[in-house]
Structure formats: C-alpha cells, structure tokens
Amino acid sequence: MDTVVPPSRRVLVDCVHSATAAPSLHNSQPWRFRIRSGRIDVYADPDRRLPVLDPQGRELMISVGAAVLNLRLALREAGYLNDLQLFPEPGVVARVTATHPEPVSDELAALAEAIPHRHTNRLPFAHLAVPEKVLDKLRDAAHAEGAVLAVATPEGRDAILRLAGTADRVLRARPGYTTELARWTGDPRHDGVPIWAAGPWDALEAVPIRDFAQLSGEPRKRERFEPYPTILVLATHGDDRLAWVRAGQALQRVLLTATWHGVASTPIGQPVEVPEIRRRLLDPASGLSVQMVLRIGYGRMAGRTPRRPVTDVLTRQ
Ligand SMILES: Cc1cc2nc3c(=O)[nH]c(=O)nc-3n(C[C@H](O)[C@H](O)[C@H](O)COP(=O)(O)O)c2cc1C
C-alpha cells in the first residue's frame, strides 16, 4: 500500500495565508483556521459579523465560503487533491483534508495564481462589452460550485441598478448603520475598507457603489462611470447556511475567473441586504435565492486592501 505523506505545516500555513486574501463584507475577515495533521478546519468568527447589514449572518457565511475556495485552490496548487466537508461537526464551517498528491490542472493553477491579483474595483469601467466567451466561463465557474450566475438583460440591468439605489437609501436610514460603517472604514491597519479603496462618486449617480468614504469628511471626486454596466446575479437553490457557504465559494470562483481574464469586478451587496428588494431581483418562479449582485468590466487597476496576519487567524491546537 502507498504511504501518503501529508503536506507539512509550513505548506498548510501558506494555504491559510491564501485563504485570507478572500473578499469579505467590509473586509471584516470573519474567519479562523485550525491546522491538524493534513487538514484545515475553518470557523466563522461571530464577533466579526455586521449585525446591522447582516443580521442573519448570510454575508458572514459567504465571506467564509470565499476563503474556503481559496484554501482548496491553494492546496491543489501545492499538489494535493483535497476533500471538502461542510459543517462536519458543531462549530466547524468547513473541513478541508489533503488526500493524495496529484499535479494541479492548468485551469485550477490559473485560478490559484489569480488569488493575490483579485481586488474589489470601485473605479469607473471602460465603455467595453465583456465578450460572451468570458461570460460563459463565469457562468461555468458558478455552476462548478453549485450556484447559478445570470447575466442581466438591458432591462434587467436598469431595474437592478434602480433597486440597488433604493436599497442603498433604505440601509443608510437603518438605525446603527453609521456606527457600523465607522467601525469598518477609515484608515485601518489590518481590516476594514481604507478610504483610498472607496473610489470616486458616479457623476450621473447611476451605478450605486457602496460609499465607504461617507464618513471620511474628505471631498469626493466625481467621475463618469460606464453608462451600461454589465450586471451579474449570483443565486443558489436554497437559502440556509449551507447555501451561503456554497454561494461564497461560487462567488470567489467567479471573481477569480474574471481576474484570470483581465475583468474587474465590484460586489453590489445592498439590494440583497433589504429583504423586500432582494425578493424582486429574480423571478420567484425560478425557485432561486439571490446571494450577490456583481458589476464587471474593464478598468484601471485597483489596489490591495489590508489583511490580518496569519498568526491572528490561526487557532492554536
Ligand atoms: C458578502 C460580501 C458583500 C460585499 N458587498 C460589497 C458592496 O456592497 N460594495 C462593495 O463595494 N464591496 C462589497 N464587497 C467587497 C468587500 O468590501 C471587499 O471584499 C473587502 O473590502 C476586501 O477588499 P478586496 O475585495 O479588494 O480584497 C463585498 C464582499 C463580500 C464577500
């Protein structure tokens, strides 16, 4: 019988480092990891949930799911097939176990290499359509993780942008919104959204990018955003914690596939954070639950936001 040598702790720590590059709501990084021989357990950190925007912890689980996808890809890039169990025991969101050594495929290697280059881009995009071939790859990426990605039609896009604008106003009026935003914006060292990442304000106010610089007191630059943004809707069958972790993995696979093809992206979470508006984003007959709206396109480079050091997110044995 072959003896399988599990990856060293060093390799697994590097994989956790890749996991922490995942996107998360307001860069809250609501995750923790524990390394055991040949496996990594992933936990949600409830102290990093945003109770005003995310009372159910849906976006917390999406963020953790995005980190799980990075973890799986990093292990594949390190040369290990791996097995994923979701909610294997109380308190553990995901258990990723290295099984057998096997060379990584070109596609998964490309996705793993995209991890450090994926950034949320809140800048205006060029007036350029995303080719159908790339949109197909994004749909396939969501499908590979058990989710559905729909590209909005022109009428759908206009309706979604209007709903997102309304949702943004509803959220700003929610009690506690400003206090929560203040906790996660400013000039953070290891988490939260820095002011420089907020981007300019859309001069035509048509693209409702979340305003992370609202409390900065600095004058906002106005720029014209693309008049016809490409809008995607990510949805799942089911709407429980399992579906949310799947949605997070699908979201990250879509974002990394976009990065690989030189396509920039902005999650637009507001319309999904207001239940009455969320229900109006897709035809109820589809039986699907919307988990995220995305804007994609071609733009100037966005920068890298801070992350907590790996030692802060690793739980000792
Ligand atoms: C569940 C979720 C919701 C998000 N919602 C928004 C949003 O509404 N607007 C936005 O600009 N970015 C949104 N983001 C992106 C995060 O703000 C971003 O991932 C985080 O600040 C870290 O920056 P990075 O993506 O550049 O690494 C969201 C990300 C996740 C995972």
Side-chain angles (χ1 to χ4, degrees), residues 58-130:
R58 186 185 62 85
E59 290 178 285
L60 175 142
M61 284 298 174
I62 290 179
S63 305
V64 174
V68 170
L69 195 273
N70 278 10
L71 198 54
R72 289 168 48 207
L73 286 173
L75 256 179
R76 282 303 286 115
E77 198 187 28
Y80 289 88
L81 284 177
N82 50 78
D83 175 60
L84 170 71
Q85 290 171 278
L86 295 180
F87 301 102
E89 63 180 75
V92 181
V93 175
R95 173 164 295 156
V96 181
T97 308
T99 53
H100 286 78
E102 175 146 318
V104 64
S105 67
D106 289 349
E107 183 189 342
L108 294 187
L111 293 182
E113 278 161 27
I115 290 173
H117 304 291
R118 181 219 55 83
H119 307 298
T120 298
N121 190 324
R122 302 184 184 87
L123 299 168
F125 292 165
H127 299 198
L128 269 180
V130 178

Side-chain angles (χ1 to χ4, degrees), residues 231-245:
I231 297 292
L232 312 177
V233 176
L234 181 76
T236 50
H237 296 280
D239 194 27
D240 53 9
R241 58 181 195 163
L242 200 65
W244 301 335
V245 179

Side-chain angles (χ1 to χ4, degrees), residues 21 23-27 59 62-63 118-120 122 193 209-210 212 251 266-270 292 305 307:
S24 59
L25 180 63
H26 286 24
N27 200 18
E59 290 178 285
I62 290 179
S63 305
R118 181 219 55 83
H119 307 298
T120 298
R122 302 184 184 87
V193 182
I209 306 274
R210 186 154 14 219
F212 286 104
L251 170 70
T266 331
I268 299 184
Q270 304 97 308
M292 186 56 69
T305 53
R307 290 295 185 276

Side-chain angles (χ1 to χ4, degrees), residues 53-56 58-59 62 160 163-164 167-168 171 174 210 232-235 239 244 267-281 289-294:
L53 280 188
D54 186 28
Q56 284 184 290
R58 186 185 62 85
E59 290 178 285
I62 290 179
I160 290 169
L163 287 170
D168 195 61
L171 291 169
R174 237 185 225 178
R210 186 154 14 219
L232 312 177
V233 176
L234 181 76
D239 194 27
W244 301 335
I268 299 184
Q270 304 97 308
V272 197
E273 288 160 355
V274 179
E276 312 80 75
I277 291 183
R278 183 184 183 200
R279 280 194 285 276
R280 294 168 59 192
L281 291 170
S289 300
V290 175
Q291 303 297 349
M292 186 56 69
V293 172
L294 291 171

